[in-house]
Amino acid sequence: METQRSYEEFEPMCKWQQEEHQSILEVHLEGFKKDQLKIQVSSTGVLTITGKRPIDETKSTGFHKTVQVPKDCRKGGIHAKLSSGILKIIMPKKSLESEKRSHERDDDGSEEAKHQPATSTGVATLTRINARKCMTALRNSIRRTGADRITARRLGVAIGVVVAVTVGGFLAYKIRQSFHSF
């Protein structure tokens, strides 16, 4: 005789945590394994979490949860990890740099630096953009390690000096090279 499996749906307990650089959604899923879960983010910012697992030979349980991703979070940076029955969905917030860049775009959506001629001014503009990216990445890594503000500031100043000296050296080389070509 064939037995049918019964299915029981439940609503998992969820808890939001707001941090300076990310929002975290904790979903309590005792007994679930990673391969029994599915997480999707739609282009409209809807996060869908589903899961199904067997309880015994005749019963299984599951859930279906949808939440709106906060508007200040980067949809492309969302990631999750399951540990000790708690699924943590980490949603990094948009940095001020990415917001500034979106405001610096032309009407056609392209960045201004792409239209710069390949002159020393264009090189300096591209170097400034790369330096900003480098500083943002450094700032984020310092925050992750928990270094204090004074250490972060000192490190930022040191890197700024290195970048300024490098750009200055490159421009001096280009100027010197242009005088030697005559």
Side-chain angles (χ1 to χ4, degrees), residues 48-73:
T48 304
I49 312 156
T50 55
K52 185 177 179 181
R53 73 175 180 91
I55 296 175
D56 59 31
E57 290 183 17
T58 60
K59 291 182 185 176
S60 65
T61 185
F63 69 96
H64 179 89
K65 181 88 176 156
T66 59
V67 293
Q68 184 67 44
V69 173
K71 292 193 184 306
D72 64 342
C73 291

Side-chain angles (χ1 to χ4, degrees), residues 140-165:
N140 291 339
S141 66
I142 289 171
R143 287 178 183 145
R144 278 192 300 271
T145 60
D148 63 344
R149 287 185 178 272
I150 293 170
T151 305
R153 203 171 279 143
R154 286 179 182 159
L155 196 54
V157 168
I159 290 176
V161 168
V162 168
V163 168
V165 168

Side-chain angles (χ1 to χ4, degrees), residues 33-174:
K33 296 177 184 169
K34 185 179 176 179
D35 61 335
Q36 297 168 331
L37 301 170
K38 185 176 180 181
I39 303 167
Q40 295 176 305
V41 181
S42 73
S43 60
T44 58
V46 176
L47 177 71
T48 304
I49 312 156
T50 55
K52 185 177 179 181
R53 73 175 180 91
I55 296 175
D56 59 31
E57 290 183 17
T58 60
K59 291 182 185 176
S60 65
T61 185
F63 69 96
H64 179 89
K65 181 88 176 156
T66 59
V67 293
Q68 184 67 44
V69 173
K71 292 193 184 306
D72 64 342
C73 291
R74 290 183 298 125
K75 287 183 274 205
I78 295 174
H79 60 282
K81 64 181 176 181
L82 179 66
S83 177
S84 302
I86 297 176
L87 176 67
K88 284 189 177 188
I89 302 171
I90 295 105
M91 297 171 249
K93 292 185 178 178
K94 295 175 183 172
S95 67
L96 292 176
E97 280 299 312
S98 64
E99 289 177 21
K100 284 180 188 174
R101 266 183 270 154
S102 67
H103 293 300
E104 290 175 357
R105 295 182 186 273
D106 292 331
D107 291 335
D108 64 351
S110 60
E111 291 185 19
E112 291 176 22
K114 290 181 182 173
H115 299 293
Q116 297 270 344
T119 63
S120 61
T121 308
V123 169
T125 302
L126 290 174
T127 304
R128 233 182 0 258
I129 290 169
N130 289 336
R132 274 192 222 135
K133 286 180 185 176
C134 207
M135 290 300 288
T136 301
L138 172 68
R139 202 174 306 127
N140 291 339
S141 66
I142 289 171
R143 287 178 183 145
R144 278 192 300 271
T145 60
D148 63 344
R149 287 185 178 272
I150 293 170
T151 305
R153 203 171 279 143
R154 286 179 182 159
L155 196 54
V157 168
I159 290 176
V161 168
V162 168
V163 168
V165 168
T166 303
V167 169
F170 177 75
L171 291 175
Y173 168 77
K174 284 295 196 181

